[in-house]
Amino acid sequence: MPFFLEGEPYHYSSSITGLFGLIGVAGAAGAPFIGRLADRIAPKKIVGILLVLTLIAYGFFGLAGFTIWSLIAGVIILDLGVQGSQVSNQTRIYALEPAARSRINTVFMVSTFTGGAIGSTLGSFAWQHWGWSGVCMMGGMLIVAAICIWIVYRVIEKRVLYAGGA
């Protein structure tokens, strides 16, 4: 996003571009709400909803990203979706084995940062070759892949539960 905001059509300075990071605080502020929701509703269901919310953010970026308000809405929605997914996933993994919490968290965080590095690399590649539209498409495709994995996991989980209950 910084490259996009510093170029056409905005021509914002680095200082103004950096302020977009503060906009994300509004989305991150929703993480405690998601945490409380995850205590009442199965976190794996919430993750699916938040993945769709994240995809909607990329829709704001790609389809309407040439208005400042759609970018602001996209940043808030993206941060809410990503932060909420992280909180929900941590709720799930911490319930696995309380005695192994630090080891599980290590694997979770290494996976999170590895995914972030891969996403940043793909985003940079997309920017270089296709500009802002390419970045939005790449981000959207990665979220669609995550939604597909979530759906496949849910289907397998239901089949295993059904087979085990028969």
Side-chain angles (χ1 to χ4, degrees), residues 50-101:
L50 292 169
L51 286 172
V52 171
L53 191 64
T54 304
L55 184 60
I56 290 168
Y58 277 99
F60 271 98
F61 292 147
L63 298 176
F66 292 96
T67 68
I68 198 68
W69 294 110
S70 65
L71 290 175
I72 291 170
V75 167
I76 292 169
I77 293 168
L78 178 72
D79 279 357
L80 179 61
V82 170
Q83 292 286 336
S85 293
Q86 184 157 352
V87 168
S88 296
N89 280 320
Q90 284 177 313
T91 300
R92 291 178 64 200
I93 65 168
Y94 289 159
L96 294 174
E97 181 60 47
R101 202 173 260 187

Side-chain angles (χ1 to χ4, degrees), residues 82-158:
V82 170
Q83 292 286 336
S85 293
Q86 184 157 352
V87 168
S88 296
N89 280 320
Q90 284 177 313
T91 300
R92 291 178 64 200
I93 65 168
Y94 289 159
L96 294 174
E97 181 60 47
R101 202 173 260 187
S102 64
R103 290 185 302 253
I104 292 171
N105 191 53
T106 299
V107 171
F108 180 79
M109 293 312 296
V110 167
S111 300
T112 298
F113 282 105
T114 300
I118 292 168
S120 293
T121 301
L122 292 173
S124 295
F125 179 82
W127 175 260
Q128 181 181 10
H129 293 284
W130 306 293
W132 181 247
S133 297
V135 171
C136 295
M137 290 294 288
M138 183 66 71
M141 288 187 318
L142 291 171
I143 296 300
V144 167
I147 290 169
C148 289
I149 291 167
W150 180 83
I151 290 169
V152 166
Y153 175 77
R154 301 278 296 160
V155 168
I156 291 170
E157 181 182 48
K158 285 183 181 182

